[in-house]
Amino acid sequence: MARFVDIHPDNPQPRLLEMVAEELRNDALIAYPTDSGYALGSRIGNRDGRDRILRIRGLDERHHLTLICKDFSQLGQMVHVDNSAFRAIRSATPGPYTFILPAMPEVPKRLMHPKKKTVGVRIPDHTFVQALLEVLGEPLLSSSLILPGETEPRTLGWEVKEELDHEVDLVIEAGDTPAEPTTVVDWSSGAPEVTRRGAGDPDRFA
């Protein structure tokens, strides 16, 4: 059974943040709120984390997983951001955008798209997520919690607990979260292509 953890949305308790981070370091899979619905998350080094996320979501290995980063500096360590993308991406973060970019050598190959060698990255505008990343000290491997046959991410912690009680290890509640997923911008070819219109304004990348 998944553990349910209720964390203050504006002032996350340090003790609970450290507990969640320690669970991640011990290869837990968590369901957690973001600025664009719930997401699934695991430590980058968790070899089973990717497979569990893909299995819950009903996806294959060609799906772009996302590295959740604390800031632009951390993001730049995970992906190659050329001059054409730098200013536009920086001005849109933090916020509900996911960017597909060429992965840096530090990213494990199993987390990249098998043919394109790309990975998703994003910097959420969410108090709990930012606080967790600060304590964890590294990006979080993640994917929106959109279940097979659905188009929007889950938004209620108790609902996630009921549905995924035996699929995840930890469900975090930390205030309201919107139902709209991120806007996805594929910048891997050197020019922005909006591949999913979501919470972030896509027109800035048109």
Side-chain angles (χ1 to χ4, degrees):
M1 286 180 59
R3 183 174 178 181
F4 190 84
V5 184
D6 197 348
I7 294 180
H8 196 283
D10 301 316
N11 298 290
Q13 300 93 320
R15 176 182 58 82
L16 295 179
L17 289 170
E18 184 55 51
M19 183 273 290
V20 175
E22 190 60 26
E23 290 286 334
L24 286 165
R25 294 183 191 115
N26 291 328
D27 290 342
L29 179 66
I30 68 171
Y32 68 101
T34 76
D35 54 349
S36 57
Y38 264 76
L40 298 166
S42 79
R43 190 173 61 89
I44 289 177
N46 179 356
R47 300 196 65 84
D48 293 329
R50 164 188 171 274
D51 296 341
R52 292 176 71 185
I53 290 171
L54 293 179
R55 185 168 62 247
I56 290 170
R57 291 211 48 200
L59 301 169
D60 62 29
E61 63 179 12
R62 292 168 297 178
H63 178 79
H64 273 107
L65 293 171
T66 299
L67 302 178
I68 305 293
C69 300
K70 183 179 186 303
D71 51 32
F72 199 83
S73 168
Q74 195 175 69
L75 182 149
Q77 296 171 15
M78 298 292 109
V79 291
H80 178 68
V81 185
D82 64 22
N83 292 336
S84 67
F86 180 90
R87 185 176 293 180
I89 293 177
R90 183 147 196 173
S91 69
T93 55
Y97 293 93
T98 299
F99 299 98
I100 308 298
L101 288 158
M104 295 290 268
E106 289 80 2
V107 177
K109 287 186 177 180
R110 60 190 166 79
L111 305 184
M112 303 179 192
H113 188 281
K115 290 186 177 179
K116 299 178 181 179
K117 307 305 179 190
T118 48
V119 70
V121 285
R122 91 179 197 88
I123 304 171
D125 185 13
H126 193 277
T127 301
F128 161 74
V129 181
Q130 285 288 331
L132 176 62
L133 291 170
E134 178 71 32
V135 173
L136 187 63
E138 62 178 270
L140 192 63
L141 176 66
S142 193
S143 182
S144 298
L145 210 176
I146 303 174
L147 295 176
E150 299 182 359
T151 58
E152 293 182 345
R154 292 304 170 96
T155 62
L156 300 171
W158 64 266
E159 190 178 74
V160 173
K161 171 84 163 69
E162 282 188 355
E163 191 138 9
L164 299 179
D165 203 21
H166 299 286
E167 301 288 338
V168 302
D169 303 304
L170 215 64
V171 177
I172 293 141
E173 176 71 52
D176 295 336
T177 180
E180 204 170 4
T182 59
T183 291
V184 178
V185 183
D186 189 335
W187 217 303
S188 58
S189 63
E193 178 189 355
V194 177
T195 58
R196 182 176 73 191
R197 301 173 75 90
D201 179 12
D203 294 338
R204 67 193 303 165
F205 298 103

